């Protein structure tokens, strides 16, 4: 994996929570416990598959084994991105909804725990469909969004209309392809950074 553990390597195409919209979580967990919970839950999810090659990316300095150190001053950006291999495919979970790094880590651990429940009680195809949205997509090439939305998109209003039209066709809730929808979302994020 070419993902950076420090500083935070946020996945391309994923939106961020603005700082003033972050919330206080009700998790009662220390940084070290949340870190260990993520590693344990991903290990359980991986099961019989080989090493999931976990990369826990935050704005917290790292220990010698590559995991974040506990007992550091809280960073300004509490975002967390966890990259790992699931059935030989790189996936990523990212969370910055909560005000503290350890709470974002615990939210990811709980999400992985819930997905393990789907694997246990649901069907295998449900879990595979869920993981499609967590694929660690490569960064789109500059101007790649124009290939998705067309060269005639010149402002955010036109982008929004083009996005809406494509979402009506490709959204998984409407029977569309999740990977195509992920590509459309990544292109939209790129276009929003460039358009007035």
């Amino acid at each position: 994996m070419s993902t950076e553990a420090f500083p935070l390597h946020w996945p391309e195409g994923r939106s961020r929570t603005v700082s003033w919209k972050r919330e206080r979580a009700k998790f009662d967990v220390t940084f070290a416990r949340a870190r260990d919970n993520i590693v344990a839950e991903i290990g359980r999810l991986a099961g019989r598959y080989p090493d999931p090659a976990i990369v826990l990316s935050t704005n917290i300095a790292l220990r010698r084994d590559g995991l974040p150190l506990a007992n550091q001053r809280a960073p300004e950006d509490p975002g967390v991105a966890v990259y790992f291999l699931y059935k030989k495919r790189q996936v990523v979970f990212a969370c910055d909804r909560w005000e503290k790094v350890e709470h974002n880590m615990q939210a990811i651990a709980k999400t992985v725990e819930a997905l393990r429940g789907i694997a246990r009680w649901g069907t295998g195809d449900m879990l595979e469909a869920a993981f499609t949205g967590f694929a660690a997509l490569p960064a789109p090439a500059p101007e790649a969004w124009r290939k998705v939305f067309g060269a005639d998109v010149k402002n955010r209003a036109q982008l929004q209309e083009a996005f809406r039209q494509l979402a009506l066709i490709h959204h998984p809730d409407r029977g569309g392809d999740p990977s195509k929808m992920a590509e459309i979302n990544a292109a939209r994020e790129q276009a929003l950074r460039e358009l007035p």
Side-chain angles (χ1 to χ4, degrees):
M1 289 186 193
S2 61
T3 305
E4 296 296 323
F6 175 81
L8 175 63
H9 182 84
W10 193 258
E12 285 290 326
R14 300 279 172 93
S15 59
R16 298 294 312 263
T17 304
V18 291
S19 61
W20 53 271
K21 283 192 173 184
R22 290 193 179 116
E23 303 173 46
R24 285 200 168 120
K26 294 185 180 180
F27 296 122
D28 184 22
V29 64
T30 64
F31 183 94
R33 173 57 59 200
R35 177 194 61 215
D36 294 346
N37 287 345
I38 284 179
V39 172
E41 288 299 332
I42 291 173
R44 290 181 192 114
L45 180 69
R48 61 186 170 91
Y49 292 95
D51 177 23
I54 300 168
V55 175
L56 183 54
S57 185
T58 69
N59 282 321
I60 301 286
L62 305 176
R63 301 185 321 196
R64 286 186 182 168
D65 64 1
L67 292 175
L69 281 163
N71 300 324
Q72 291 186 52
R73 188 174 79 77
E76 189 175 311
D77 181 353
V80 175
V82 182
Y83 296 81
F84 62 97
L85 295 175
Y86 179 73
K87 295 185 179 180
K88 299 180 182 177
R89 184 174 70 206
Q90 186 183 32
V91 294
V92 60
F93 288 86
C95 184
D96 66 348
R97 175 181 175 185
W98 310 109
E99 293 177 344
K100 294 184 177 182
V101 172
E102 59 267 29
H103 294 163
N104 287 314
M105 289 193 318
Q106 186 67 4
I108 292 171
K110 290 294 188 183
T111 300
V112 175
E113 180 183 20
L115 287 170
R116 285 183 41 243
I118 291 172
R120 269 193 318 272
W121 309 114
T123 61
D125 60 334
M126 288 174 66
L127 185 61
E128 290 303 316
F131 265 111
T132 302
F134 297 113
L137 300 172
E143 298 286 323
W145 64 268
R146 292 197 187 278
K147 292 178 185 172
V148 175
F149 298 114
D152 57 332
V153 173
K154 305 286 187 216
N155 58 46
R156 289 176 178 237
Q158 291 173 337
L159 172 68
Q160 189 59 28
E161 180 57 27
F163 174 80
R164 190 181 71 75
Q165 293 296 326
L166 288 172
L168 287 171
I169 298 167
H170 297 290
H171 198 283
D173 290 348
R174 299 175 142 268
D177 180 7
S179 61
K180 180 66 176 173
M181 193 65 212
E183 178 188 331
I184 292 166
N185 283 329
R188 179 176 179 261
E189 289 296 320
Q190 183 187 23
L192 286 171
R193 288 192 294 269
E194 295 179 24
L195 288 173

